[in-house]
Coordinates of all heavy atoms in Angstrom, one line a residue:
M11 N -14.6 32.2 1.4 CA -14.8 30.9 0.7 C -13.6 29.9 1.0 O -12.4 30.4 0.9 CB -14.7 31.3 -0.8 CG -15.0 30.1 -1.7 SD -16.7 29.6 -1.9 CE -16.6 28.3 -3.0
R12 N -13.8 28.8 1.3 CA -12.8 27.8 1.6 C -12.3 27.2 0.3 O -13.0 27.1 -0.6 CB -13.4 26.7 2.6 CG -13.6 27.2 3.9 CD -14.8 26.6 4.5 NE -14.6 25.2 4.8 CZ -15.5 24.5 5.4 NH1 -16.7 24.9 5.6 NH2 -15.2 23.2 5.8
S13 N -11.1 26.8 0.3 CA -10.6 26.0 -0.8 C -9.8 24.8 -0.3 O -9.5 24.6 0.9 CB -9.7 26.9 -1.6 OG -8.6 27.4 -0.8
C14 N -9.4 24.0 -1.2 CA -8.7 22.8 -1.0 C -7.4 23.1 -0.2 O -6.8 24.1 -0.3 CB -8.4 22.1 -2.3 SG -7.3 20.7 -2.2
T15 N -7.1 22.1 0.8 CA -5.9 22.4 1.7 C -4.6 22.3 0.9 O -3.6 22.7 1.4 CB -5.9 21.4 2.8 OG1 -7.3 21.3 3.4 CG2 -5.0 21.7 3.9
R16 N -4.5 21.6 -0.2 CA -3.4 21.4 -1.0 C -2.8 22.7 -1.4 O -3.5 23.6 -1.8 CB -3.5 20.4 -2.1 CG -3.8 19.0 -1.7 CD -2.4 18.4 -1.3 NE -2.7 17.0 -0.9 CZ -1.8 16.1 -1.0 NH1 -0.6 16.3 -1.5 NH2 -2.1 14.8 -0.6
N17 N -1.4 22.8 -1.4 CA -0.9 24.1 -1.7 C -1.3 24.5 -3.1 O -1.3 23.7 -4.1 CB 0.7 23.9 -1.6 CG 1.2 23.9 -0.3 OD1 0.5 24.3 0.7 ND2 2.4 23.4 -0.2
A18 N -1.6 25.8 -3.2 CA -1.8 26.4 -4.6 C -3.0 25.9 -5.3 O -3.2 26.1 -6.4 CB -0.7 26.3 -5.4
C19 N -3.8 25.0 -4.5 CA -5.1 24.7 -5.3 C -6.2 25.4 -4.8 O -6.4 25.8 -3.5 CB -5.3 23.2 -4.8 SG -6.8 22.4 -5.5
R20 N -7.1 25.9 -5.7 CA -8.1 26.7 -5.3 C -9.5 26.1 -5.6 O -10.6 26.8 -5.6 CB -8.1 28.0 -6.2 CG -6.8 28.8 -5.9 CD -6.9 30.2 -6.6 NE -5.6 31.0 -6.3 CZ -5.1 31.7 -7.3 NH1 -5.6 31.8 -8.5 NH2 -3.9 32.3 -7.0
E21 N -9.4 24.8 -5.7 CA -10.7 24.1 -5.9 C -11.6 24.1 -4.7 O -11.1 24.1 -3.6 CB -10.4 22.7 -6.4 CG -9.8 22.6 -7.8 CD -10.7 23.2 -8.9 OE1 -11.9 22.9 -8.8 OE2 -10.1 23.9 -9.7
V22 N -12.9 24.0 -4.8 CA -13.8 23.8 -3.7 C -13.5 22.5 -3.1 O -13.5 21.4 -3.7 CB -15.2 23.9 -4.2 CG1 -16.2 23.7 -3.1 CG2 -15.4 25.3 -4.8
P23 N -13.4 22.5 -1.7 CA -13.2 21.2 -1.0 C -14.4 20.3 -1.1 O -15.5 20.7 -1.2 CB -12.9 21.6 0.5 CG -13.4 23.0 0.6 CD -13.4 23.6 -0.8
H24 N -14.0 19.0 -1.0 CA -15.1 17.9 -1.3 C -15.1 17.1 0.0 O -16.2 16.6 0.3 CB -14.5 17.2 -2.5 CG -15.4 15.9 -2.9 ND1 -16.7 16.0 -3.2 CD2 -15.2 14.7 -2.7 CE1 -17.2 14.7 -3.3 NE2 -16.2 13.9 -3.1
V25 N -14.0 16.8 0.5 CA -14.1 15.9 1.8 C -13.2 16.5 2.8 O -12.2 17.2 2.6 CB -13.6 14.4 1.5 CG1 -14.5 13.7 0.5 CG2 -12.1 14.4 1.0
T26 N -13.4 16.0 4.0 CA -12.6 16.4 5.2 C -11.8 15.2 5.6 O -12.4 14.1 5.8 CB -13.5 17.0 6.3 OG1 -14.2 18.1 5.9 CG2 -12.7 17.1 7.7
L27 N -10.5 15.4 5.9 CA -9.7 14.3 6.3 C -9.2 14.7 7.8 O -8.7 15.8 8.0 CB -8.6 14.0 5.5 CG -8.8 13.7 4.0 CD1 -7.5 13.4 3.3 CD2 -9.8 12.5 4.0
V28 N -9.4 13.8 8.7 CA -8.9 14.0 10.0 C -7.9 12.9 10.4 O -8.2 11.8 10.3 CB -10.1 14.0 11.1 CG1 -9.6 14.3 12.5 CG2 -11.1 15.0 10.8
F29 N -6.7 13.4 10.7 CA -5.6 12.4 11.1 C -5.6 12.3 12.6 O -5.4 13.0 13.4 CB -4.3 13.0 10.7 CG -4.0 13.0 9.3 CD1 -4.6 13.8 8.3 CD2 -3.1 12.1 8.7 CE1 -4.5 13.7 7.0 CE2 -2.9 12.1 7.3 CZ -3.6 13.0 6.5
H30 N -6.0 10.9 12.9 CA -6.1 10.6 14.3 C -4.8 9.7 14.6 O -4.7 8.5 14.4 CB -7.4 9.7 14.5 CG -7.7 9.3 15.9 ND1 -7.5 8.1 16.5 CD2 -8.0 10.2 17.0 CE1 -7.7 8.2 17.7 NE2 -8.1 9.3 18.0
Y31 N -3.9 10.5 15.2 CA -2.6 9.8 15.4 C -2.6 8.7 16.3 O -1.9 7.7 16.1 CB -1.6 10.9 15.9 CG -1.2 11.8 14.7 CD1 -2.0 12.9 14.5 CD2 -0.1 11.6 14.0 CE1 -1.7 13.8 13.3 CE2 0.3 12.4 12.9 CZ -0.5 13.5 12.6 OH -0.2 14.3 11.6
P32 N -3.4 8.7 17.4 CA -3.2 7.5 18.3 C -3.6 6.2 17.8 O -3.1 5.1 18.1 CB -4.3 7.9 19.5 CG -4.4 9.3 19.4 CD -4.2 9.7 18.0
S33 N -4.5 6.2 16.7 CA -5.0 4.9 16.0 C -4.4 4.8 14.6 O -4.7 3.9 14.0 CB -6.4 4.8 16.0 OG -7.0 5.8 15.3
S34 N -3.6 5.8 14.3 CA -3.1 5.8 12.8 C -4.2 5.7 11.9 O -4.1 4.9 10.9 CB -2.0 4.8 12.7 OG -0.9 5.1 13.4
T35 N -5.3 6.4 12.1 CA -6.4 6.3 11.2 C -6.7 7.6 10.6 O -6.7 8.7 11.4 CB -7.7 5.7 11.9 OG1 -7.3 4.4 12.5 CG2 -8.9 5.6 11.1
I36 N -7.1 7.7 9.4 CA -7.6 8.9 8.8 C -9.0 8.8 8.6 O -9.5 8.0 7.8 CB -6.9 9.1 7.4 CG1 -5.4 9.2 7.6 CG2 -7.3 10.4 6.8 CD1 -4.5 9.0 6.3
W37 N -9.7 9.6 9.3 CA -11.2 9.6 9.2 C -11.6 10.4 8.0 O -11.1 11.6 7.8 CB -11.8 10.2 10.4 CG -11.7 9.2 11.6 CD1 -11.6 7.9 11.6 CD2 -11.5 9.6 13.0 NE1 -11.5 7.5 12.8 CE2 -11.4 8.5 13.7 CE3 -11.5 10.9 13.6 CZ2 -11.3 8.4 15.1 CZ3 -11.4 10.9 15.0 CH2 -11.3 9.7 15.7
V38 N -12.5 10.0 7.2 CA -13.0 10.7 6.1 C -14.4 11.1 6.4 O -15.3 10.3 6.6 CB -12.9 9.8 4.8 CG1 -13.4 10.7 3.6 CG2 -11.5 9.3 4.6
D39 N -14.7 12.4 6.3 CA -16.0 13.0 6.7 C -16.5 13.9 5.6 O -15.7 14.4 4.8 CB -15.9 13.7 8.1 CG -15.8 12.8 9.2 OD1 -16.4 11.7 9.2 OD2 -15.2 13.2 10.1
Q40 N -17.7 14.1 5.6 CA -18.3 15.2 4.7 C -17.9 16.4 5.3 O -17.5 16.6 6.5 CB -19.8 15.1 4.7 CG -20.3 13.7 4.3 CD -21.6 13.7 3.6 OE1 -22.0 14.7 3.0 NE2 -22.3 12.7 3.8
L41 N -17.8 17.4 4.6 CA -17.3 18.7 5.1 C -18.1 19.3 6.2 O -19.3 19.2 6.3 CB -17.4 19.8 3.9 CG -16.4 19.7 2.7 CD1 -16.7 20.8 1.9 CD2 -15.1 19.6 3.2
S42 N -17.3 19.7 7.3 CA -18.0 20.2 8.4 C -18.3 21.7 8.1 O -17.7 22.2 7.1 CB -17.2 20.1 9.6 OG -15.8 20.5 9.4
D43 N -19.1 22.4 9.0 CA -19.3 23.7 8.7 C -18.2 24.6 8.9 O -18.1 25.6 8.3 CB -20.5 24.1 9.8 CG -21.8 23.4 9.5 OD1 -22.1 23.0 8.3 OD2 -22.7 23.3 10.4
E44 N -17.4 24.3 9.8 CA -16.1 25.1 9.9 C -14.9 24.2 10.0 O -15.0 23.2 10.6 CB -16.2 25.8 11.4 CG -17.3 26.9 11.4 CD -17.1 27.6 12.7 OE1 -16.2 27.6 13.4 OE2 -18.1 28.4 12.9
R45 N -13.9 24.7 9.3 CA -12.7 23.9 9.4 C -12.0 23.8 10.7 O -11.8 24.9 11.3 CB -11.7 24.4 8.3 CG -10.4 23.6 8.2 CD -9.4 24.3 7.3 NE -9.9 24.2 5.9 CZ -9.3 24.7 4.8 NH1 -8.1 25.4 5.1 NH2 -9.7 24.6 3.7
Q46 N -11.7 22.6 11.1 CA -10.9 22.5 12.4 C -9.5 22.4 12.2 O -9.0 22.1 11.0 CB -11.4 21.2 13.1 CG -13.0 21.0 13.3 CD -13.4 22.2 14.2 OE1 -13.0 22.5 15.2 NE2 -14.6 22.7 13.8
P47 N -8.7 22.9 13.2 CA -7.3 23.0 13.0 C -6.6 21.7 12.5 O -5.6 21.8 11.9 CB -6.8 23.4 14.4 CG -8.0 23.9 15.1 CD -9.1 23.2 14.6
N48 N -7.1 20.6 12.9 CA -6.4 19.3 12.6 C -7.0 18.7 11.4 O -6.8 17.5 11.1 CB -6.5 18.3 13.8 CG -7.9 18.0 14.1 OD1 -8.9 18.7 13.9 ND2 -8.1 16.7 14.7
E49 N -7.8 19.5 10.7 CA -8.5 18.8 9.5 C -7.9 19.3 8.2 O -7.4 20.4 8.1 CB -10.0 19.2 9.5 CG -10.8 18.5 10.5 CD -12.2 18.9 10.4 OE1 -12.6 19.7 9.6 OE2 -13.0 18.5 11.3
Y50 N -7.9 18.4 7.2 CA -7.5 18.8 5.9 C -8.8 18.7 5.0 O -9.7 17.7 5.1 CB -6.5 17.9 5.3 CG -5.1 18.0 6.2 CD1 -5.0 17.4 7.3 CD2 -4.1 18.7 5.6 CE1 -3.9 17.5 8.1 CE2 -3.0 18.9 6.3 CZ -2.8 18.2 7.6 OH -1.7 18.4 8.2
E51 N -8.9 19.6 4.0 CA -10.0 19.5 3.2 C -9.5 19.4 1.8 O -8.7 20.3 1.3 CB -10.9 20.7 3.4 CG -11.5 20.8 4.7 CD -12.4 22.0 4.8 OE1 -12.3 22.9 4.1 OE2 -13.1 22.0 5.9
F52 N -9.8 18.4 1.1 CA -9.4 18.1 -0.2 C -10.5 18.3 -1.3 O -11.6 18.0 -1.0 CB -8.8 16.7 -0.4 CG -7.4 16.4 0.2 CD1 -6.8 17.5 0.9 CD2 -6.9 15.2 0.1 CE1 -5.6 17.3 1.4 CE2 -5.6 15.1 0.6 CZ -5.0 16.0 1.4
C53 N -10.1 18.8 -2.4 CA -11.0 18.9 -3.6 C -11.2 17.4 -4.2 O -10.4 16.5 -3.8 CB -10.6 19.8 -4.7 SG -9.0 19.4 -5.4
V54 N -12.0 17.2 -5.2 CA -12.2 16.0 -5.7 C -11.0 15.4 -6.3 O -10.6 14.3 -6.1 CB -13.3 16.0 -6.8 CG1 -13.5 14.7 -7.5 CG2 -14.7 16.4 -6.1
T55 N -10.2 16.2 -7.0 CA -9.0 15.8 -7.7 C -8.0 15.3 -6.7 O -7.4 14.3 -6.9 CB -8.5 16.8 -8.5 OG1 -9.4 17.3 -9.5 CG2 -7.2 16.4 -9.2
H56 N -7.8 16.1 -5.7 CA -6.7 15.8 -4.7 C -7.2 14.5 -3.9 O -6.4 13.7 -3.4 CB -6.3 16.9 -3.9 CG -5.3 17.8 -4.5 ND1 -5.7 19.1 -4.8 CD2 -4.2 17.6 -5.1 CE1 -4.6 19.7 -5.4 NE2 -3.7 18.7 -5.7
W57 N -8.5 14.5 -3.7 CA -9.0 13.3 -2.9 C -8.8 12.0 -3.7 O -8.3 11.1 -3.1 CB -10.4 13.5 -2.6 CG -11.1 12.3 -2.1 CD1 -12.3 11.7 -2.6 CD2 -10.7 11.5 -1.0 NE1 -12.6 10.6 -1.9 CE2 -11.7 10.3 -1.0 CE3 -9.7 11.5 0.0 CZ2 -11.7 9.3 0.1 CZ3 -9.7 10.5 0.9 CH2 -10.6 9.5 1.0
Q58 N -9.1 12.1 -4.9 CA -8.9 10.8 -5.7 C -7.5 10.5 -5.9 O -7.2 9.2 -6.0 CB -9.4 11.2 -7.2 CG -11.0 11.3 -7.1 CD -11.6 11.5 -8.5 OE1 -10.9 12.1 -9.3 NE2 -12.8 11.3 -8.7
R59 N -6.5 11.4 -5.8 CA -5.1 11.1 -5.8 C -4.5 10.6 -4.5 O -3.4 10.1 -4.4 CB -4.4 12.3 -6.3 CG -4.6 12.7 -7.7 CD -3.7 13.9 -8.1 NE -4.0 14.4 -9.4 CZ -3.6 15.5 -9.8 NH1 -2.8 16.3 -9.1 NH2 -3.9 15.9 -11.0
F60 N -5.4 10.9 -3.4 CA -4.8 10.8 -2.0 C -4.6 9.3 -1.8 O -5.4 8.4 -2.0 CB -5.7 11.4 -1.0 CG -5.3 11.1 0.4 CD1 -4.3 11.9 0.9 CD2 -5.9 10.3 1.1 CE1 -3.9 11.7 2.2 CE2 -5.5 10.0 2.5 CZ -4.5 10.8 2.9
Q61 N -3.4 9.0 -1.2 CA -3.0 7.7 -0.7 C -2.6 7.9 0.8 O -1.8 8.8 1.1 CB -1.8 7.1 -1.5 CG -2.1 6.8 -2.9 CD -3.1 5.7 -3.0 OE1 -3.1 4.7 -2.2 NE2 -4.0 5.6 -4.1
P62 N -3.1 7.1 1.7 CA -2.7 7.3 3.1 C -1.2 7.0 3.3 O -0.7 6.1 2.5 CB -3.6 6.3 3.8 CG -4.0 5.3 2.9 CD -4.1 6.0 1.5
P63 N -0.6 7.6 4.2 CA 0.8 7.2 4.5 C 1.0 5.9 4.9 O 0.0 5.3 5.4 CB 1.1 8.3 5.6 CG 0.1 9.4 5.7 CD -1.1 8.6 5.1
S64 N 2.1 5.3 4.8 CA 2.4 4.0 5.1 C 2.0 3.8 6.6 O 2.4 4.6 7.6 CB 3.9 3.7 4.9 OG 4.2 2.4 5.4
G65 N 1.3 2.6 6.9 CA 0.9 2.3 8.2 C -0.4 3.0 8.7 O -0.9 2.7 9.8
W66 N -1.0 3.8 7.8 CA -2.2 4.4 8.3 C -3.4 3.7 7.5 O -3.1 3.2 6.3 CB -2.2 5.9 7.8 CG -1.4 6.8 8.7 CD1 0.0 6.7 8.8 CD2 -1.8 7.6 9.7 NE1 0.4 7.6 9.7 CE2 -0.7 8.3 10.2 CE3 -3.1 8.2 10.1 CZ2 -0.7 9.3 11.2 CZ3 -3.1 9.1 11.0 CH2 -2.0 9.7 11.7
S67 N -4.5 3.8 8.1 CA -5.7 3.3 7.4 C -6.8 4.3 7.2 O -6.8 5.3 8.0 CB -6.2 2.1 8.2 OG -6.6 2.5 9.5
L68 N -7.5 4.2 6.2 CA -8.6 5.1 6.0 C -9.9 4.6 6.5 O -10.3 3.3 6.3 CB -8.7 5.3 4.4 CG -7.9 6.3 3.7 CD1 -8.2 6.2 2.2 CD2 -8.1 7.6 4.2
D69 N -10.6 5.4 7.2 CA -11.9 5.0 7.6 C -13.0 6.0 7.1 O -13.0 7.2 7.6 CB -12.0 5.1 9.2 CG -13.3 4.5 9.7 OD1 -14.2 4.2 9.0 OD2 -13.4 4.5 10.9
D70 N -13.6 5.6 6.1 CA -14.7 6.6 5.5 C -16.0 6.5 6.2 O -16.6 5.5 6.3 CB -14.9 6.1 4.0 CG -15.6 7.2 3.2 OD1 -16.3 8.1 3.8 OD2 -15.4 7.2 2.0
R71 N -16.2 7.6 6.9 CA -17.4 7.7 7.7 C -18.6 8.3 6.9 O -19.7 8.6 7.5 CB -17.2 8.5 9.0 CG -15.9 7.9 9.7 CD -15.8 8.4 11.1 NE -15.4 9.8 11.1 CZ -15.1 10.4 12.3 NH1 -15.2 9.7 13.4 NH2 -14.8 11.7 12.3
R72 N -18.5 8.7 5.8 CA -19.6 9.2 4.9 C -20.5 8.0 4.5 O -20.2 6.9 4.8 CB -19.1 9.9 3.7 CG -18.1 11.1 4.0 CD -17.5 11.5 2.8 NE -16.7 10.5 2.1 CZ -16.3 10.6 0.8 NH1 -16.6 11.6 0.1 NH2 -15.6 9.7 0.3
R73 N -21.6 8.3 4.0 CA -22.4 7.3 3.4 C -21.6 6.6 2.3 O -20.9 7.2 1.6 CB -23.7 7.9 2.8 CG -24.7 8.3 3.9 CD -25.8 9.1 3.2 NE -25.4 10.3 2.5 CZ -26.0 10.9 1.5 NH1 -27.0 10.4 1.0 NH2 -25.5 11.9 1.0
A74 N -21.8 5.3 2.2 CA -21.0 4.5 1.3 C -21.5 4.6 -0.1 O -22.0 3.7 -0.7 CB -21.1 3.1 1.7
E75 N -21.2 5.8 -0.7 CA -21.8 6.1 -2.0 C -20.8 6.5 -3.0 O -20.9 6.3 -4.2 CB -22.9 7.2 -1.9 CG -22.3 8.4 -1.5 CD -23.3 9.6 -1.4 OE1 -24.3 9.5 -2.1 OE2 -23.0 10.6 -0.7
V76 N -19.7 6.9 -2.6 CA -18.8 7.6 -3.5 C -17.6 6.8 -3.9 O -17.2 6.7 -5.1 CB -18.2 9.0 -2.9 CG1 -17.4 9.7 -3.8 CG2 -19.5 9.7 -2.3
L77 N -17.0 6.2 -2.8 CA -15.7 5.7 -3.3 C -15.6 4.3 -3.9 O -16.1 3.3 -3.3 CB -14.8 5.6 -1.9 CG -14.4 6.9 -1.3 CD1 -13.5 6.7 -0.2 CD2 -13.7 7.7 -2.5
P78 N -15.0 4.2 -5.0 CA -14.7 2.9 -5.5 C -13.5 2.2 -5.0 O -13.4 1.0 -5.2 CB -14.5 3.2 -7.0 CG -13.8 4.5 -7.1 CD -14.5 5.3 -5.9
F79 N -12.8 2.9 -4.3 CA -11.4 2.3 -3.8 C -11.2 2.4 -2.3 O -10.1 2.4 -1.9 CB -10.3 3.0 -4.6 CG -10.2 4.5 -4.2 CD1 -9.3 4.8 -3.1 CD2 -10.8 5.4 -4.9 CE1 -9.1 6.2 -2.9 CE2 -10.6 6.7 -4.6 CZ -9.7 7.1 -3.6
V80 N -12.2 2.3 -1.6 CA -12.0 2.3 -0.1 C -11.2 1.0 0.2 O -11.5 -0.1 -0.1 CB -13.4 2.2 0.6 CG1 -13.1 2.0 2.2 CG2 -14.1 3.5 0.4
H81 N -10.1 1.3 0.8 CA -9.3 0.2 1.2 C -8.6 0.5 2.5 O -8.6 1.6 3.1 CB -8.2 0.0 0.2 CG -7.4 1.3 -0.1 ND1 -6.6 1.5 -1.2 CD2 -7.3 2.4 0.6 CE1 -6.1 2.7 -1.2 NE2 -6.4 3.3 -0.1
R82 N -8.2 -0.5 3.2 CA -7.6 -0.5 4.5 C -6.2 -1.1 4.4 O -6.1 -2.1 3.7 CB -8.4 -1.3 5.6 CG -9.7 -0.5 5.9 CD -10.5 -1.5 6.9 NE -11.7 -0.8 7.3 CZ -11.7 0.1 8.3 NH1 -10.6 0.3 9.0 NH2 -12.8 0.6 8.7
L83 N -5.4 -0.4 5.0 CA -4.0 -1.1 5.0 C -3.8 -1.8 6.3 O -4.1 -1.4 7.4 CB -3.0 0.1 5.0 CG -3.0 0.9 3.7 CD1 -1.9 2.0 3.9 CD2 -2.7 0.1 2.6
A84 N -3.4 -3.0 6.2 CA -3.1 -3.8 7.4 C -2.1 -3.1 8.2 O -0.9 -2.6 7.6 CB -2.8 -5.2 7.0
G85 N -2.2 -3.0 9.5 CA -1.2 -2.3 10.3 C 0.1 -2.9 10.2 O 1.1 -2.5 9.8
Ligands
ZN104 ZN1 -7.2 20.3 -4.5

């Protein structure tokens, strides 16, 4: 059973985050079947609290149904 990537969190993961360093973009995907080494999986709570690091942008590749706060940071 997988759990949220955040330390000490045992909630079921909700989204997958992939940090794409060459473009400073964080891809947001639905959970994949297997966790990849460069992926982070957050539960709903941690996802809602998540803010991209300075200079990074979020690219939500899921269906546009969930996020009220999709935003992009200007580079
Ligand atoms: Zn969590």
Side-chain angles (χ1 to χ4, degrees):
M11 185 81 179
R12 290 141 75 180
S13 60
C14 176
T15 311
R16 290 283 178 155
N17 287 344
C19 180
R20 296 189 186 143
E21 295 298 317
V22 176
H24 175 65
V25 295
T26 295
L27 302 182
V28 180
F29 284 70
H30 187 250
Y31 286 87
S33 62
S34 294
T35 300
I36 302 165
W37 290 330
V38 184
D39 288 325
Q40 309 207 27
L41 288 183
S42 51
D43 291 336
E44 293 185 14
R45 182 183 292 178
Q46 304 300 316
N48 63 334
E49 291 180 356
Y50 294 82
E51 294 178 347
F52 283 3
C53 65
V54 173
T55 301
H56 281 119
W57 166 238
Q58 287 175 341
R59 291 180 188 170
F60 177 74
Q61 295 289 333
S64 178
W66 287 71
S67 58
L68 275 178
D69 185 358
D70 195 334
R71 303 196 291 188
R72 302 172 300 167
R73 287 172 298 156
E75 58 177 343
V76 185
L77 287 189
F79 64 91
V80 171
H81 53 201
R82 287 173 176 276
L83 297 179

